[in-house]
Every structure is written in C-alpha cells, then in structure tokens.
Amino acid sequence: MANAKKTPSKEVKTTKKTSSAKKTAPKKIAKDVEEVVKEENVESEIELDSTIQDDNFSKLRSMKIGSFSLKHLLIGIICLVLVILLIRGVANSFSKESKVPDYGVVYTTDDGDLMVVGSNGKKPVKLANDSSNDVQYANTTERFILYTKDDNLYLYDKKKGEDTTKIDKDVESFGFSDDDKYIYYTNTDDELYTYKKESKKIDNDVDYVVGTADNNIFYTKEDELYFRNMNGKKDKVKVASDVENQALSEDGSKILYQTTDDDLYIYKVSSKKSTKIVSDVNNILDANEELDKIIYTNNDGDVYYVKGTKATKLVSDVSVLDADAKEQQIVYLDEDEELYYQKGTKKAIKIDDAEDIKSAYIYNGNEVYYTVRDDDKYELNYSKVGSKASSPKTVLDDAYSYVYTYYDKGLIAFSNVESYVGELNIIKGGKATKVADDVKTTSLNPNHKGNKLYFLGNYDADDNSGSLMSTTSKKAKTLVEDVKDFNYVKDNIIYISTGYSSKSGKFDLNVYNGRKLIKIADSVKSVKAPYVNTKNNNY
C-alpha cells in the first residue's frame, strides 16, 4: 500500500542511537491493511489483511538499513499528493511464478475461528478460536504457517492438518529462515531462539533480527552486530561494535554496516574480517545488491560513488532526488534549484530550471521523469538524456498519487484523482495512455512476469467496491464485479472479497483461478493473506 516532508532530497537522515535506547524487533505478523490505510487517510474500511514479509527479516532486495534503505524505496520527497516510488524496473527483479508457492489463505469467521484453506478453496482447517492472531507464511512452500494464540507460537503443517505444534510461549516476534529450514523467534525477555524439531537458544538481550542466510542468523544487541549458526552448536561471532545501520547482501556472504562514527565497513562472513570502505558517511543514497557499488553523501554535502573501496567524488552542494549505484547515475537540484542529470564523473547535463521541482526518477538509464508543483496540482514532466537533455515535455498536467516503475509496459501514473480514485495511465517514451477511469489508487498489483497489471476499476469510493480488472497493454478487462479488495499470489491464485456489508463488517471470501470465481466461505470477518513480492511491489 501507499506509504510531507518538505525537502527535495532523496537523502534520509539517520538517527544516532544511544546504548540505552532499546530497539525492539518488529513483530513478524500479517499486517492489517486497514491500519495502513487509516494511517494514510485513504478510507475507513478495508477487510483484507496483507502479510508483510517484514523488511528487517528479508534480504537486501527489500532491506531497510536502520532508517535508510538500500533498495530504491522512495524517490526524492513525499509530497502532499504526489509520490514517485523508486522500484527500479528490471525484468529479472520479478520473482518467477513457477517458484512462488501455491499459498492457501488464513481467515477468521464470524464466530472468531481462525481457519486456513488451500488455494483450491476446499476443506478448510480450524487453527484456533476466539483470539487475535498474528500469521506468517513460509517463504518457499505453502506447507507451513506460523501463527500465535495468546502469545503462544504454533506451527501449522499442511500434512498434519489440525494437529498443530506449539513452539513456545510469550513470543514477541517470529519468522521463517530464508530457506524455511528453521523458525526463529524472540520472546518478551528479548531472548532469541531458533527451532528445528526443538528450540535452541541463540542469545539474550537481542534488539533486532537483521536477517538469515546460509544457516546463519544475523542480529544486533546493545549496538553490537552478531551472527550465529541457527543450529546453536557454534558460538556466536561478533561482527562489530557501535553499529548504527546494517544490511545483509543477497547471498548472505557480506554485511554492510555503518558505525556511530560515520565510518562504513564491509564484513565478509567467510573470512570473518571487516574492511573499511570510507569515512564521514552521512547518508547512503543507493547500493547494489552485491554491496560493492554505493552512492552516498558525506557530512559536508559532497556526493560520492564507491566501487569496492575506491571512492570518487561526483558533485557538491546539491540535493539528490534519485541515485542509481549500479549504473553510477544521479539526478539532483543544484544551489539554484535547477535540475541536472549526471552519469559518473562526466559533465552534468541541465534538464530544467522550472520553479518548485519536487522529485525526479531515472528510468531505463536514459529517461528522467520529474514533478513540478503548479499551484495546487503537480505536473509530471519528461526529458530524454544522453550527451544532452531533450527539451522538457509535460506528460500529465494533473498528476497524482504514484508513479510506478515495475510494470514492463511502462511507467504507471494516476491523474485527475478525487477521493483516492482517478484515471490510470501507462507512460512510455514520455507519452501517457489512459487505460481506465475510476481506479482505486492503492489497488495496483503487477503479476510476476511484469506483463499484466491487476487493479480495482469502476471504483465507487462511497460504496467501497469496484471491479477487479487487468490489463496487458492499453485496454482493461473486467474479471470480477462487486470487489472490495483482493490479494494476488499468482495469475491463477487471487483471493478476493466480495459482497461486503458495511453494517455487519462481513463479506464473502473467494479465490479466482484465472478462469472463474470459487467461493471459499461467507460471513468472513478478516483475512490474513500471504504477501507475495512481485518486483518489489511496495506501496
């Protein structure tokens, strides 16, 4: 779902930690979309939950490092009504649908029973009753689900049905390891455990689980960074002290971390050695997944590019709106608030000197999209860059909400929005094509291949319902009517709520198999659906 800070910089300030400041590991739960939406004042009624695979427990492709992010989460600023989301569009960023489990779905009935059912919608199994539950799906299989009841942690095994396994009591946070071989959890005493047939204590006074990889679990305690084999047989290994931010590489072989002295290090797990990269680091603007290419700013406002351990100064005294470490390119506003594009140490190219430029995004390495505030609305503008920049061109004169980049057919943007419902446009080569009217702005979901987009069209904000639609090019196709919300797993597994009653708060839960709608249950109160990452579909 969608995530106003008046600064045109992509820089995200980090907060210095103190040894007395306790950082609690976030709960690994099925997060209620209603809570997210209420925070954004989108609407007051949502019934589908979305299981958030918490960034703190995932790999770098969605890892947040303390209060800064390494994987293109936001462009520039968050405006009052316009956000450009930085989810760089590369086809291989999509998860392959063949590797996505055929997830079932967990839901609660009108009687408060917690139920689970397979993707075929048949033979639901009762897990618990009359209690609030947090739910976590496994990463690589539909077989296992973790859930809580009265702070007790249970494991559901599809092969065992209702015969669930109690893991432990007083559980605070929990999750599966990246390969699902282990379960890890913390309790209310901040003790960290792993579980594989039996529980093994890893450490005490744990603040924060960074992630898991290659049978190791990485975590922090009292500003120190550690890792330990999840079987609990080997002693823990201390990586560093006075650690402020950290991130795990995609394969778990390296850890990038920043100290409270603003020094940046890379740690190799195999050799158990740290190498200092640079000093005087203020903000990490971007890094690639291998953590060997980084763009950052220092405390004097200079922008640097790092490859390995060699740092090269790119520019000074600018506000960076977008940075791409992999391609060594940035877009920024200079001291005169003029917009520039720069690749490496080459001469910067001036794009525009319009007043009140708010955000910018580099697309496909040679296109820059940026927003300009015009009274009470925002223009979305475009310029092609190379040896020089093409003349600025207005793509949409009343842009609103988000510009997404993970759809292979082009950028996605909304215009003429009222009550979070507006026109859906696909943009390619600086040209916008309207796909559908009355689209709910928070309902976008691309498929795994990136060639199809699902959304709620014909949406009535007063009735809080619309039609589930899809598009593969310029025209939208209606799939299901009277839809309140949906949760995408695969093209043939989409969980849909229909027939919602605002009076009772109940609805029908269905699964759409790509051809027809199959009812799972009626009188459903809530759904804790699996969250499936399709090219980092962070809203």
Side-chain angles (χ1 to χ4, degrees), residues 31-42:
K31 188 171 183 181
D32 193 333
V33 171
E34 182 172 2
E35 294 175 3
V36 178
V37 171
K38 281 182 177 178
E39 291 171 2
E40 300 158 357
N41 297 316
V42 175

Side-chain angles (χ1 to χ4, degrees), residues 210-460:
V210 177
T212 65
D214 196 24
N215 292 324
N216 291 318
I217 185 164
F218 301 81
Y219 60 95
T220 63
K221 56 179 290 182
E222 299 175 346
D223 293 339
E224 296 178 336
L225 179 61
Y226 295 88
F227 73 89
R228 188 176 181 183
N229 191 291
M230 284 184 281
N231 64 20
K233 294 180 180 180
K234 297 180 180 179
D235 291 337
K236 65 185 178 185
V237 178
K238 184 178 178 178
V239 175
S241 300
D242 301 320
V243 175
E244 186 175 60
N245 301 300
Q246 63 283 318
L248 192 61
S249 66
E250 178 75 12
D251 60 3
S253 65
K254 293 180 286 186
I255 307 173
L256 181 72
Y257 66 92
Q258 181 183 358
T259 68
T260 53
D261 291 329
D262 292 334
D263 296 328
L264 193 64
Y265 290 82
I266 193 76
Y267 178 89
K268 292 187 177 181
V269 175
S270 59
S271 64
K272 299 178 182 178
K273 291 183 179 180
S274 291
T275 301
K276 186 176 180 179
I277 301 175
V278 288
S279 300
D280 194 31
V281 175
N282 184 12
N283 294 301
I284 301 291
L285 298 178
D286 190 45
N288 65 344
E289 292 182 352
E290 292 77 22
L291 303 181
D292 57 3
K293 295 180 181 179
I294 302 166
I295 295 178
Y296 75 95
T297 60
N298 66 13
N299 291 308
D300 293 326
D302 302 322
V303 182
Y304 281 83
Y305 169 76
V306 178
K307 184 175 182 181
T309 58
K310 181 181 179 181
T312 303
K313 185 176 177 179
L314 301 181
V315 67
S316 300
D317 300 320
V318 300
S319 296
V320 178
L321 301 183
D322 186 20
D324 180 3
K326 183 177 180 181
E327 300 299 331
Q328 197 180 344
Q329 52 188 352
I330 55 176
V331 174
Y332 60 83
L333 292 174
D334 69 0
E335 293 179 300
D336 296 322
E337 299 289 299
E338 295 179 342
L339 185 66
Y340 283 84
Y341 164 83
Q342 183 174 333
K343 187 172 179 66
T345 57
K346 294 181 180 179
K347 184 179 179 180
I349 301 169
K350 183 177 177 179
I351 296 175
D352 203 342
D353 58 4
E355 294 183 4
D356 218 3
I357 294 175
K358 291 297 184 182
S359 54
Y361 171 65
I362 306 166
Y363 182 61
N364 281 346
N366 63 354
E367 299 177 37
V368 175
Y369 290 87
Y370 59 99
T371 61
V372 180
R373 183 164 183 163
D374 182 13
D375 295 329
D376 60 346
K377 63 181 182 179
Y378 294 85
E379 292 181 351
L380 179 63
N381 293 339
Y382 161 86
S383 177
K384 189 169 184 178
V385 293
S387 58
K388 61 181 181 179
S390 66
S391 299
K393 173 184 175 183
T394 298
V395 180
L396 294 171
D397 60 8
D398 190 5
Y400 184 91
S401 195
Y402 318 98
V403 173
Y404 295 101
T405 66
Y406 45 47
Y407 184 50
D408 277 3
K409 302 294 183 180
L411 294 171
I412 303 168
F414 287 100
S415 58
N416 299 315
V417 174
E418 292 184 9
S419 300
Y420 302 93
V421 177
E423 298 169 355
L424 176 63
N425 304 274
I426 295 177
I427 302 169
K428 195 166 186 178
K431 182 180 180 181
T433 301
K434 186 171 74 171
V435 174
D437 294 303
D438 301 325
V439 176
K440 184 180 179 182
T441 58
T442 56
S443 69
L444 298 182
N445 207 128
N447 70 349
H448 296 284
K449 293 180 180 179
N451 61 1
K452 182 182 289 188
L453 183 69
Y454 294 94
F455 57 90
L456 292 182
N458 301 321
Y459 194 80
D460 187 331

Side-chain angles (χ1 to χ4, degrees), residues 64-196:
K64 289 183 179 178
I65 310 175
S67 55
F68 63 82
S69 169
L70 281 188
K71 184 60 182 176
H72 298 107
L73 293 179
L74 286 176
I75 297 175
I77 74 163
I78 301 177
C79 302
L80 289 176
V81 294
L82 184 95
V83 179
I84 296 184
L85 276 185
L86 254 171
I87 306 164
R88 202 162 297 282
V90 225
N92 59 13
S93 294
F94 282 89
S95 54
K96 293 182 179 179
E97 184 167 272
S98 60
K99 294 184 178 181
V100 177
D102 290 340
Y103 284 121
V105 65
V106 176
Y107 63 95
T108 55
T109 67
D110 189 29
D111 295 327
D113 294 334
L114 187 71
M115 310 292 292
V116 61
V117 68
S119 58
N120 61 5
K122 299 177 180 179
K123 297 180 180 180
V125 174
K126 182 177 176 179
L127 299 177
N129 64 328
D130 298 326
S131 60
S132 61
N133 309 94
D134 297 335
V135 174
Q136 175 66 44
Y137 294 77
N139 298 303
T140 63
T141 176
E142 69 273 17
R143 178 179 170 181
F144 301 111
I145 296 175
L146 287 168
Y147 68 96
T148 59
K149 178 182 179 182
D150 302 325
D151 293 327
N152 298 316
L153 180 61
Y154 293 86
L155 174 65
Y156 164 77
D157 184 341
K158 186 177 180 181
K159 292 185 177 181
K160 296 181 180 180
E162 293 184 4
D163 186 17
T164 58
T165 301
K166 182 178 177 179
I167 305 297
D168 210 337
K169 62 182 181 179
D170 299 325
V171 172
E172 181 71 19
S173 63
F174 58 93
F176 289 96
S177 62
D178 58 317
D179 56 8
D180 297 320
K181 291 181 179 179
Y182 290 87
I183 294 166
Y184 60 87
Y185 62 93
T186 60
N187 60 24
T188 51
D189 292 326
D190 296 322
E191 297 170 326
L192 174 62
Y193 288 84
T194 58
Y195 177 90
K196 186 178 183 180

